[in-house]
Amino acid sequence: MDQVANAHIAGLLFGAGQQEQTSVETDGRNLINKTIAYRNAGATALK
């Protein structure tokens, strides 16, 4: 994430590339929970 911030990227988008892949709606809140935990742990500051 430090490399992303250093590249001045303000956001990343995640989603299934194909229909049979896991999506936010079908992953049991895994992506949401990991994102919240990452933010609560301090995350990476925007530069």
Side-chain angles (χ1 to χ4, degrees), residues 4-37:
V4 172
N6 288 337
H8 305 287
I9 303 292
L12 297 175
L13 303 175
F14 295 91
Q18 295 183 352
Q19 186 175 12
E20 64 273 0
Q21 292 178 318
T22 301
S23 68
V24 175
E25 292 82 14
T26 63
D27 77 347
R29 294 188 50 89
N30 185 53
L31 179 62
I32 292 168
N33 292 336
K34 299 265 185 192
T35 302
I36 292 168

